[in-house]
Amino acid sequence: MAVTDHVDLNQFMEGVKKRNPHQPEFVQAVQEVAQDIFEFMEDKVRYHEAQILRRIAEPDRIVSFRVCWEDDNHNIRVQRGWRVQNNNAIGPYKGGIRFHPSVNESVLKFLAFEQTFKNSLTGLPMGGGKGGANFNPKGKSDAEVMRFCQSFMTELYRHIGPETDVPAGDIGVGGREIGYMFGQYKRITGRWEGVLTGKALEYGGSKMRPEATGYGAVYFLRNMLKHRGEDIDGQTAVISGSGNVATHAAEKIVQMGGKVLTLSDSDGFIHDPDGIDQNKIDWVKDLKNVRRGRISEYCDHFTSATYHGNGARPWNVAADLALPCATQNELDEDDAKALVANGCKAVSEGANMPTTLAGVKVFHDAKILYAPGKAANAGGVAVSGLEMSQNSERISWNHERLGEMLTELMEGIHEKCVEYGDEGAKNGGYVDYVKGANIAGFKKVADAMLAFGVV
Ligand code: GLU
């Protein structure tokens, strides 16, 4: 193969921007990875020659489709659905489905791109994909959600399968939606198979899956603190979000002796200086999963707390630890500065890309511990990978065993990040977890792609 002059980082990013106009989230996710990978590839000409990063940043395919459904007032509604199959070099496409009005192609492409690196980091054989629709589940009846899910799956089923692409939940898609979609897949195909993860225990779900993302983010946080000789016990934490990831992250912080001060939703946040204990967390879980209410209701029930509305975010509340567990770009440069100024020493992302690039720079400059979502929240998809194994083997592992496996998986991811992200003596032993996650995640996918030749 001829050794060609390869493009530099700036030329590469110019190309990405040109080919993906009006897709800022996707460009942001590629930028964050590309700066580390270009440094790593500097002396590795084979990755340049084979255009590996260029190929990972171009989804294998994107399916876009119309989703029609009828609301309770008999209006016909039309939504747009997608599945982005980013890369299947190391296993079937794997990644969640998001139902939220903000969903568009840019958001799903960034999520599928990130998922490719995240899934690689778990060490399990899973490629990267993501899907969703611009459907807003807020305020919809169960029957409306069911009809939407059935219509969505009526198109999606032909693109997925246990050996090709295995979706799961994400924002707006939890146990209820997975149930409706699995039921429709089974009805259309006549096959009971492990085509979705995040299923309920009665029909092939895995124990520990609901807890895995939030618990995993706290295990990762503990691993980072331990690496510096510190611990979660006795520390305060600010958490954003109030869904599955946030409530389980809060639960694990409390179990490890920490004190959780905040939770939020898109309307605002609650600040409870007495601490959000297990009893309060259980109340929030019921509020979100059963009553489907808003976090502001917390203050009517627990008078120790105050509510901050108008979309306020919790990053000005002083705490030792921060766990953004809501959504992308929910923590910007000013928020990061406020956290650092208030003495925050570690950030672990339960959400996908919650911190802007400028926010990440603030954390790095201040040399505080910072774990990007693709490493810190990988516990969720890792247990999804274990759900796939259990479905294939037609077995079900117990809670204890899965808990141990999750702990080990998160330790493994932390070790890989340290291996590739430790800046050693040149930077006072600081570990750049973004760099570590990017390089470790990239290397496995890239080496598999090299083995396949030009495909
Ligand atoms: N949506 C989750 C994530 O961002 C889980 C994906 C899965 O379990 O496949 O990783």
Side-chain angles (χ1 to χ4, degrees), residues 256-386:
M256 289 183 174
K259 185 176 181 183
V260 177
L261 300 177
T262 65
L263 287 172
S264 73
D265 61 23
S266 55
D267 295 330
F269 75 92
I270 55 110
H271 176 200
D272 189 342
D274 286 359
I276 304 170
D277 60 17
Q278 186 64 53
N279 172 37
K280 294 171 178 173
I281 294 168
D282 290 341
W283 187 91
V284 174
K285 283 186 185 172
D286 187 70
L287 171 78
K288 301 301 282 194
N289 298 334
V290 182
R291 289 176 284 139
R292 302 198 183 267
R294 305 301 293 166
I295 199 68
S296 58
E297 294 168 44
Y298 183 100
C299 299
D300 306 332
H301 204 77
F302 302 107
T303 48
S304 51
T306 50
Y307 178 64
H308 306 258
N310 295 322
R313 303 184 292 214
W315 313 125
N316 281 296
V317 174
D320 303 308
L321 314 168
L323 292 108
C325 297
T327 193
Q328 69 268 6
N329 292 330
E330 54 160 318
L331 200 163
D332 64 17
E333 186 177 7
D334 289 341
D335 299 324
K337 282 182 183 158
L339 283 170
V340 170
N342 282 328
C344 176
K345 53 183 125 173
V347 180
S348 183
E349 295 184 339
N352 291 314
M353 205 172 74
T355 310
T356 63
L357 289 173
V360 174
K361 188 169 180 320
V362 172
F363 294 146
H364 278 161
D365 288 349
K367 295 229 166 16
I368 69 165
L369 297 169
Y370 166 68
K374 64 172 81 79
N377 72 36
V381 74
V383 176
S384 275
L386 302 179

Side-chain angles (χ1 to χ4, degrees), residues 61-66 80-84 105 155 159:
R61 71 191 58 77
I62 301 173
V63 188
S64 160
F65 48 94
R66 185 184 65 236
R80 190 172 296 172
W82 290 267
R83 186 73 184 163
V84 179
E105 211 170 289
E155 171 61 30
H159 308 291

Side-chain angles (χ1 to χ4, degrees), residues 94-96 115 118 130 166-170 197 209 352 377 380-381 384:
K94 180 84 197 84
Q115 198 83 43
K118 183 195 314 195
K130 204 87 183 191
V166 184
D170 196 80
T197 62
R209 179 64 190 85
N352 291 314
N377 72 36
V381 74
S384 275

